[in-house]
Amino acid sequence: EPAAEPKAATSPPLQGFIKGNEFIVRIERSLETNIGLNLDALDEESAFVDGILPGSIEAWNQAHPSDPRLQQYDRILGVNGLRGHTDTLLREMRQNAVWDLVVHRPIEVKISVDCAKNPTLGLDLKYSPNGGSLLISTVSEGAIREWNQSSSSSCKVGKHDRVIEVNGVRGTARQLLDTATNVTTLDLVILHFA
């Protein structure tokens, strides 16, 4: 009688919160199906979910409504135990059908800036022209640093945070920048990754 074929061990999904707004989610997908993620890799340490498109991720989210899900504005910090450079994370995602993702979910912070009082925000911004946010790479002297110092909020705007709305407008990075031009007040919505 032939020996039974050994079965591959399957590990249970590693899901749930690990600290603060970071959590692990396991996603299984077909390698033949479109992933369905619009990712931006501007910060070089993570993949930012700029949008969920039709494909594997949307199908996974719909099929697992009670599990942690990947959603727009999440930062993917790790894939299958790998962290570090965004290119490494994206390569791991392209090559594998099962992902154990370390995800960081932001909170939205609203800030109002009087441009007449403080004409510079003090933000070094990076963006993809068709992306839907402005990545904050540094905060220097200006209105945002002043807000950080004077605000009673425990949230302090910093590196890796993202501007997603300017004066009530959400849209492409170009639209956000255009909306911020020649105004006396800036009402910003910032994704804060605490």
Side-chain angles (χ1 to χ4, degrees), residues 66-87:
S66 61
D67 292 342
R69 331 159 53 131
L70 196 59
Q71 65 187 38
Q72 184 179 27
Y73 302 142
D74 285 343
R75 263 180 93 207
I76 300 171
L77 302 175
V79 181
N80 297 338
L82 299 174
R83 285 184 179 236
H85 200 274
T86 306
D87 290 341

Side-chain angles (χ1 to χ4, degrees), residues 6-11:
K7 291 188 177 181
T10 57
S11 57

Side-chain angles (χ1 to χ4, degrees), residues 3-78:
E5 289 280 326
K7 291 188 177 181
T10 57
S11 57
L14 304 167
Q15 304 208 90
F17 283 87
I18 52 178
K19 67 175 186 174
N21 288 350
E22 276 187 30
F23 61 95
I24 296 176
V25 60
R26 171 169 281 181
I27 294 178
E28 299 176 29
R29 69 178 190 92
S30 165
L31 288 173
E32 291 78 40
T33 306
N34 181 21
I35 293 173
L37 283 176
N38 186 9
L39 297 173
D40 108 17
L42 290 172
D43 78 18
E44 298 180 3
E45 296 173 21
S46 67
F48 177 75
V49 180
D50 206 28
I52 306 282
L53 309 169
S56 295
I57 301 304
E58 182 181 69
W60 175 265
N61 284 344
Q62 290 171 355
H64 299 86
S66 61
D67 292 342
R69 331 159 53 131
L70 196 59
Q71 65 187 38
Q72 184 179 27
Y73 302 142
D74 285 343
R75 263 180 93 207
I76 300 171
L77 302 175

Side-chain angles (χ1 to χ4, degrees), residues 109 111 113 115 121 123 125 132-134 162-183 185-190:
V109 177
I111 296 174
V113 176
C115 298
L121 290 177
L123 296 179
L125 301 171
S133 68
L134 305 170
R162 290 181 179 253
V163 178
I164 58 165
E165 182 178 306
V166 177
N167 291 347
V169 173
R170 290 186 188 216
T172 66
R174 174 64 35 213
Q175 290 169 318
L176 295 174
L177 290 169
D178 289 346
T179 303
T181 305
N182 299 321
V183 295
T185 302
L186 281 174
D187 293 317
L188 305 173
V189 176
I190 295 177

Side-chain angles (χ1 to χ4, degrees), residues 80-136:
N80 297 338
L82 299 174
R83 285 184 179 236
H85 200 274
T86 306
D87 290 341
T88 302
L89 303 179
L90 296 177
R91 185 173 38 259
E92 185 71 14
M93 291 173 78
R94 277 191 299 273
Q95 294 175 350
N96 291 286
V98 177
W99 303 336
D100 287 323
L101 303 176
V102 177
V103 177
H104 195 177
R105 180 138 312 143
I107 58 171
E108 288 190 6
V109 177
K110 295 181 181 186
I111 296 174
S112 187
V113 176
D114 181 350
C115 298
K117 179 181 172 203
N118 208 331
T120 178
L121 290 177
L123 296 179
D124 182 19
L125 301 171
K126 292 182 181 179
Y127 60 93
S128 296
N130 295 320
S133 68
L134 305 170
L135 171 68
I136 299 171

